[in-house]
Amino acid sequence: MGILGEIVRKPDEIYPLLKLKMAVKKAEKQIPPEPHWGFCYSTLHKVSKSFSLVIQQLGTELRNAVCVFYLILRALDTIEDDTSIPTDVKLPVLIAFHRHIYERDWHFSCGTDEYKVLMDQFHHVSAAFLELEKGYQEAVEDITKRMGAGMAKFICQEVETVDDYDEYCHYAAGLVGSGLSKLFLTSQLEVLTPDWEHISNSMGLFLQKTNIIRDYLEDINEIPKPRMYWPHEIWGKYVDKLEDLKYEENSSKAVQCLNDMVTNALVHIEDCMRYMAALRDPAIFRLCAIPQIMAIGTLALCYNNVQLFRGVVKMRPGLTAKFVDRAKTMADVYGAFYDFSCMLKTKVNMNDPNSMDTLNRIEAVQKMCRDSGVLLKRYLQSSFFLLTVESS
């Protein structure tokens, strides 16, 4: 059913969709006049409308730092993801990328569509980066250096074990969480908990693992060669080759493997909620909370869903619009995670080999949400998340 059909089925999503669309248009009209900043913000709109919209609510100084940080890491990710680049060319670029961000005329042609434009005109991003305050520059450079080195390592190394998987996700996204935390601290808008490095890494791992799970089919069908991020330690229990999961005759094993992967991702949720609960600035909170809610929702849709191996499994646009519109407090986060964990729980098949482990992790999440003390008050007011996801 198309978008129009979805709207007919979910009329309560019309207002959030319209509100989101108007907010996006408003953000597009607020593109800075300077060529380099104009390029950065217009590119950000193109590669991630929802993220672009959320960062617009940050103060100017932090907003500019987050925008540049995001685009630099998108550029780094574009190089890593382009399987047409020979390894002997790709490795030195990844390793030296943290130095290239200081070069006003550097660019590297790769990627497709808006990502190719980003790479071809990267000098605009460098110019914007060089206008950031030194504290922001140092944080961005440090994370870019560590991420580039980590990506280079896994160009030459397969993801064999679960430890490898965690390490790869640390380089690909855990460092993003650490980098954002450094930017928040530099802005002096946040005073994070002593374990912020560990739990900000978990924030990134949870998002990255969700993306890796959701993007299985796209990654395995990549031309000229597949991208393989699912760890052999997990998929090797079910099939001989990772690509075997997409074949219909292996559907039962594929779903069991998928459920194993989702269960692995759930372990990070408690850290994520501790991190978000410590945030003080409302705009920073929304910047962090909305992707996390979308991640748990995506996992709930993917779990036990063979369609992941046949096509795209993703949130309805109207549901995404609701998250952007209504996720404003920690009570909203606890409520959303509780609702989606309930949805997950109803999908657990007790014949699944990992069912008990899955249920234990779901219960740990639900207990944390219940212990927050906000669920009863929230349910007396409204339970919009559960009502909107139960028939997704």
Side-chain angles (χ1 to χ4, degrees):
M1 185 176 288
I3 293 178
L4 181 59
E6 290 179 356
I7 291 175
V8 171
R9 289 173 54 228
K10 300 287 183 181
D12 59 313
E13 295 178 359
I14 295 175
Y15 176 70
L17 275 169
L18 291 175
K19 189 174 179 180
L20 179 61
K21 187 173 182 179
M22 288 188 291
V24 169
K25 286 187 176 296
K26 181 180 178 181
E28 289 172 349
K29 292 178 181 178
Q30 295 175 333
I31 300 295
E34 300 88 350
H36 53 297
W37 286 112
F39 175 82
C40 287
Y41 279 99
S42 62
T43 301
L44 184 63
H45 287 317
K46 292 172 184 174
V47 300
S48 179
K49 283 187 173 62
S50 58
F51 184 78
S52 171
L53 181 62
V54 175
I55 78 161
Q56 290 294 332
Q57 300 175 39
L58 298 172
T60 303
E61 181 184 288
L62 181 57
R63 180 175 68 240
N64 286 344
V66 172
C67 174
V68 170
F69 181 55
Y70 182 87
L71 291 178
I72 286 174
L73 299 190
R74 288 307 303 166
L76 193 60
D77 190 55
T78 299
I79 297 168
E80 185 212 18
D81 280 350
D82 192 332
T83 54
S84 69
I85 305 173
T87 299
D88 62 339
V89 174
K90 182 181 291 190
L91 289 179
V93 177
L94 291 173
I95 292 170
F97 198 81
H98 67 286
R99 292 195 293 271
H100 294 315
I101 63 178
Y102 286 96
E103 300 170 16
R104 290 184 180 272
D105 59 351
W106 186 87
H107 63 92
F108 186 79
S109 186
C110 66
T112 59
D113 302 325
E114 61 269 17
Y115 297 104
K116 186 179 189 308
V117 177
L118 170 63
M119 300 307 300
D120 287 341
Q121 301 188 45
F122 192 78
H123 61 280
H124 287 305
V125 181
S126 295
F129 168 75
L130 291 170
E131 290 186 2
L132 299 178
E133 289 190 6
K134 188 173 179 61
Y136 292 120
Q137 288 183 357
E138 290 174 346
V140 172
E141 179 189 2
D142 174 59
I143 296 300
T144 304
K145 180 179 180 180
R146 292 159 64 188
M147 184 178 290
M151 287 178 168
K153 175 179 179 177
F154 278 93
I155 296 296
C156 305
Q157 174 183 323
E158 296 290 336
V159 180
E160 291 288 339
T161 67
V162 171
D163 285 344
D164 291 340
Y165 183 44
D166 284 347
E167 184 181 6
Y168 170 76
C169 291
H170 164 72
Y171 290 128
L175 287 173
V176 180
S178 298
L180 285 172
S181 294
K182 287 188 173 189
L183 297 183
F184 301 158
L185 291 169
T186 300
S187 74
Q188 298 186 332
L189 293 171
E190 295 292 349
V191 179
L192 301 177
T193 58
D195 62 345
W196 69 265
E197 290 188 85
H198 169 73
I199 59 179
S200 60
N201 182 64
S202 294
M203 291 276 285
L205 262 64
F206 185 58
L207 297 182
Q208 184 67 12
K209 288 184 177 184
T210 298
N211 291 341
I212 285 173
I213 291 166
R214 181 199 62 200
D215 294 341
Y216 165 82
L217 196 62
E218 177 186 339
D219 288 340
I220 206 69
N221 289 334
E222 177 71 15
I223 295 174
K225 61 181 181 179
R227 297 189 293 256
M228 296 189 288
Y229 302 124
W230 290 33
H232 182 270
E233 185 178 339
I234 290 180
W235 64 258
K237 294 185 285 185
Y238 306 96
V239 288
D240 294 328
K241 295 182 292 185
L242 183 57
E243 59 264 34
D244 291 345
L245 294 172
K246 68 180 180 179
Y247 300 126
E248 193 166 345
E249 60 267 26
N250 296 323
S251 293
S252 178
K253 290 293 185 182
V255 169
Q256 290 179 358
C257 182
L258 167 61
N259 294 346
D260 203 341
M261 289 288 290
V262 171
T263 301
N264 171 273
L266 297 178
V267 73
H268 303 293
I269 292 178
E270 292 165 89
D271 280 349
C272 294
M273 289 199 285
R274 277 193 288 271
Y275 182 91
M276 290 183 282
L279 296 173
R280 305 182 305 178
D281 183 84
I284 290 175
F285 175 81
R286 282 171 52 77
L287 174 71
C288 296
I290 291 171
Q292 295 292 324
I293 293 174
M294 292 182 68
I296 181 62
T298 298
L299 289 182
L301 291 175
C302 291
Y303 184 83
N304 213 43
N305 188 352
V306 73
Q307 289 305 311
L308 182 127
F309 303 101
R310 309 285 181 263
V312 179
V313 176
K314 64 179 182 179
M315 291 282 190
R316 296 192 314 274
L319 190 52
T320 298
K322 278 195 169 184
F323 295 150
V324 174
D325 183 41
R326 303 186 185 182
K328 297 176 180 178
T329 69
M330 198 59 206
D332 297 324
V333 171
Y334 286 128
F337 271 78
Y338 189 83
D339 287 345
F340 279 124
S341 64
C342 287
M343 179 182 172
L344 258 170
K345 194 171 185 178
T346 64
K347 298 174 73 175
V348 176
N349 182 339
M350 294 309 296
N351 292 322
D352 185 276
N354 296 286
S355 59
M356 291 310 300
D357 193 13
T358 307
L359 289 171
N360 287 337
R361 294 189 184 183
I362 291 172
E363 177 53 35
V365 173
Q366 292 182 330
K367 182 178 185 302
M368 192 171 190
C369 294
R370 288 193 299 268
D371 289 349
S372 71
V374 302
L375 291 184
L376 179 58
K377 179 180 177 181
R378 174 181 171 276
Y379 275 97
L380 290 174
Q381 294 173 341
S382 170
S383 185
F384 73 90
F385 284 113
L386 184 59
L387 293 173
T388 54
V389 302
E390 62 186 3
S391 57
S392 294

